[in-house]
Amino acid sequence: TIILILSGANDPLSFYGIGSQAICQNLESQGKNVDLIVVPDAKHDLLHENNTEMTYYSIFQFIINVLMLQGNADFFSEEY
């Protein structure tokens, strides 16, 4: 299982990304597989910021990477 942590670089609730990094390091010290994405110029509501496309693209890339790591690369070759 891979955990995704998203944070805005300008989010005061996560201490401008520092709190998210601390959570990530804590989880990694427990043996968890963690991926941290800090979105530049974003605050707390990442999906409603000026750079929403970047956030969605980062989430999409994370999902693709997880599927490929789990051996599900053929998922994208199926027709629906």
Side-chain angles (χ1 to χ4, degrees):
T1 302
I2 303 173
I3 300 167
L4 174 62
I5 296 176
L6 286 168
S7 180
N10 296 335
D11 182 5
L13 293 176
S14 70
F15 299 100
Y16 304 95
I18 295 171
S20 300
Q21 291 172 355
I23 291 170
C24 183
Q25 290 171 350
N26 184 294
L27 290 169
E28 286 175 336
S29 72
Q30 297 176 39
K32 307 292 183 189
N33 191 354
V34 182
D35 195 359
L36 171 65
I37 298 173
V38 178
V39 181
D41 301 320
K43 293 182 181 175
H44 188 72
D45 193 0
L46 297 172
L47 300 180
H48 296 100
E49 296 280 344
N50 292 336
N51 51 0
T52 300
E53 295 83 13
M54 175 191 272
T55 303
Y56 278 109
Y57 181 77
S58 297
I59 295 169
F60 178 71
Q61 285 297 112
F62 171 79
I63 293 169
I64 289 174
N65 290 338
V66 168
L67 288 173
M68 295 186 99
L69 284 173
Q70 294 179 351
N72 294 319
D74 60 339
F75 172 81
F76 296 102
S77 65
E78 296 179 24
E79 293 185 27
Y80 292 94

